[in-house]
């Protein structure tokens, strides 16, 4: 017999002997694992209730939920499960009561800026609740509310409405700024003789109104647009709460600021123009 053949047979015999010796060891290890699992889980579960563990990866939160549920079943659940009133819903309630909720907390590096930020600008037509339109009186630089007759629509002014995001999202009203279209004149509200009054104020650099803080003097240009119906809104001063843009009961009178209790028209039909 050749030397190569002898070497192959010897190698095969050695491998077979190793495999035979490893089989009892493997069986003993499996037996120990089974005993270990049986001893670990068996006594903890109530009679008639089995536990199945999936092979899916478990997060630490799921492991904690499982342990708490098992402890509750072991401590007091076994007696209730022997009752005829115990149902699947009862077991589900025990499991749900054991769930550990996970709360994610985001830490802010700094507080959000306390400012109004402009989001857009669009032209709109404004008339009061009596369908009076706004016109510009050049010699006094005032807005008047006038009942225009047919063919005189060219006298009414359109306003560019700038919309803003309020720093406090709980506020329902929308901050806006109002500028006469094709001009630099903005409506503003500031005190005169101790009372809030409405003015037309020229703003040549409109970029300065891009962001407005609550403490800024520019707050006089902002009004809270509160909608109460389709295209029906009130316009309250952001600087002076409870003071509203209003029109008179009579025709061709100035548009002014007033308090809510005043006998003036304070609602406007605001229609966005294309």
């Amino acid at each position: 017999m050749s030397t190569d053949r002898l070497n192959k047979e010897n190698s095969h015999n050695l491998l077979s002997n190793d495999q035979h010796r490893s089989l009892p060891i493997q069986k003993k290890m499996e037996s120990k694992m089974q005993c270990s699992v049986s001893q670990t889980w068996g006594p903890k579960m109530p009679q008639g209730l089995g536990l199945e563990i999936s092979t899916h990866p478990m997060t630490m939160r799921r492991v904690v939920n499982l342990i708490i549920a098992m402890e509750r079943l072991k401590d007091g659940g076994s007696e209730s499960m022997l009752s005829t009133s115990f149902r699947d819903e009862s077991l589900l309630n025990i499991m749900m009561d054991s769930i550990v909720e996970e709360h994610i907390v985001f830490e802010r590096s700094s507080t959000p800026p306390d400012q109004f930020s402009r989001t857009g600008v669009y032209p709109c037509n404004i008339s009061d609740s009596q369908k009076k339109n706004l016109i510009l009186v050049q010699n006094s630089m005032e807005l008047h509310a006038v009942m225009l007759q047919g063919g005189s629509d060219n006298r009414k002014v359109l306003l560019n409405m700038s919309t803003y995001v309020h720093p406090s999202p709980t506020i329902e009203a929308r901050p806006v700024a109002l500028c006469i279209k094709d001009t630099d004149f903005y409506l503003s509200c500031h005190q005169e003789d101790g009372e809030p009054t409405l003015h037309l104020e020229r703003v040549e650099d409109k970029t300065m109104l891009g962001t407005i803080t609550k403490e800024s003097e520019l707050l006089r240009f902002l009004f809270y647009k509160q909608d109460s119906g389709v295209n029906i809104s009130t316009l309250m001063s952001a600087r002076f709460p409870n003071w509203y843009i209003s029109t008179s009961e009579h025709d061709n009178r100035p548009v002014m600021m007033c308090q809510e209790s005043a006998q003036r028209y304070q609602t406007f039909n605001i229609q966005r123009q294309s």
Side-chain angles (χ1 to χ4, degrees):
M1 185 178 296
S2 63
T3 305
D4 294 338
R5 184 175 180 181
L6 287 172
N7 290 336
K8 288 181 179 180
E9 289 181 354
N10 292 334
S11 299
H12 178 72
N13 292 333
L14 290 173
L15 181 59
S16 298
N17 292 334
D18 291 339
Q19 290 177 342
H20 285 299
R21 285 194 298 268
S22 64
L23 286 175
I25 297 175
Q26 184 177 355
K27 290 182 178 180
K28 289 181 180 179
M29 291 179 64
E30 292 177 353
S31 178
K32 288 182 178 180
M33 291 177 63
Q34 292 176 355
C35 292
S36 177
V37 171
S38 176
Q39 293 172 358
T40 301
W41 298 107
K44 290 181 178 293
M45 300 304 297
Q47 185 178 0
L49 183 65
L51 178 66
E52 180 180 350
I53 303 176
S54 65
T55 57
H56 295 288
M58 299 281 286
T59 63
M60 182 59 68
R61 182 161 59 94
R62 292 179 181 176
V63 172
V64 172
N65 290 337
L66 179 61
I67 293 174
I68 294 175
M70 288 182 58
E71 290 298 322
R72 290 189 176 182
L73 288 172
K74 183 180 65 174
D75 292 340
S78 58
E79 295 181 1
S80 61
M81 282 185 291
L82 296 177
S83 173
T84 56
S85 62
F86 187 82
R87 300 180 179 179
D88 292 342
E89 291 82 359
S90 303
L91 178 60
L92 179 60
N93 290 334
I94 294 175
M95 297 297 292
M96 292 300 294
D97 290 341
S98 305
I99 292 179
V100 177
E101 296 291 341
E102 180 180 17
H103 299 280
I104 301 176
V105 179
F106 295 96
E107 182 178 356
R108 294 182 176 180
S109 57
S110 60
T111 58
D114 189 16
Q115 63 185 18
F116 301 85
S117 301
R118 184 167 57 195
T119 58
V121 181
Y122 60 87
C124 58
N125 179 44
I126 296 184
S127 59
D128 69 4
S129 58
Q130 303 303 303
K131 299 184 178 180
K132 295 195 295 290
N133 295 105
L134 306 184
I135 66 169
L136 176 62
V137 180
Q138 294 285 350
N139 56 358
S140 62
M141 288 305 296
E142 292 179 336
L143 286 177
H144 284 208
V146 178
M147 188 71 72
L148 295 176
Q149 302 299 323
S152 58
D153 282 352
N154 59 332
R155 295 181 59 195
K156 69 180 179 181
V157 298
L158 296 178
L159 298 179
N160 283 337
M161 178 176 289
S162 301
T163 57
Y164 289 77
V165 174
H166 197 284
S168 301
T170 56
I171 302 298
E172 296 181 359
R174 186 70 180 269
V176 298
L178 301 169
C179 173
I180 298 179
K181 188 179 180 182
D182 300 325
T183 73
D184 296 329
F185 290 102
Y186 279 79
L187 276 69
S188 66
C189 181
H190 54 83
Q191 278 193 348
E192 188 174 274
D193 297 330
E195 186 172 285
T197 54
L198 187 67
H199 300 267
L200 286 177
E201 191 172 341
R202 182 188 294 274
V203 179
E204 296 182 355
D205 183 12
K206 297 182 181 180
T207 60
M208 64 186 292
L209 299 179
T211 56
I212 301 175
T213 62
K214 287 185 176 181
E215 294 76 19
S216 171
E217 288 293 325
L218 297 177
L219 193 64
R220 66 185 184 274
F221 292 105
L222 291 185
F223 299 87
Y224 286 126
K225 177 177 174 287
Q226 177 69 60
D227 300 328
S228 57
V230 179
N231 298 328
I232 303 300
S233 309
T234 57
L235 296 166
M236 184 185 74
S237 171
R239 189 173 184 181
F240 301 99
N242 300 321
W243 284 83
Y244 295 84
I245 297 178
S246 64
T247 60
S248 173
E249 297 177 346
H250 305 287
D251 190 36
N252 198 11
R253 297 294 177 86
V255 180
M256 301 172 59
M257 302 300 299
C258 77
Q259 291 183 304
E260 190 174 5
S261 58
Q263 298 298 316
R264 293 177 62 86
Y265 300 120
Q266 302 168 26
T267 58
F268 294 88
N269 186 301
I270 303 177
Q271 294 183 340
R272 182 170 181 170
Q273 302 295 302
S274 57

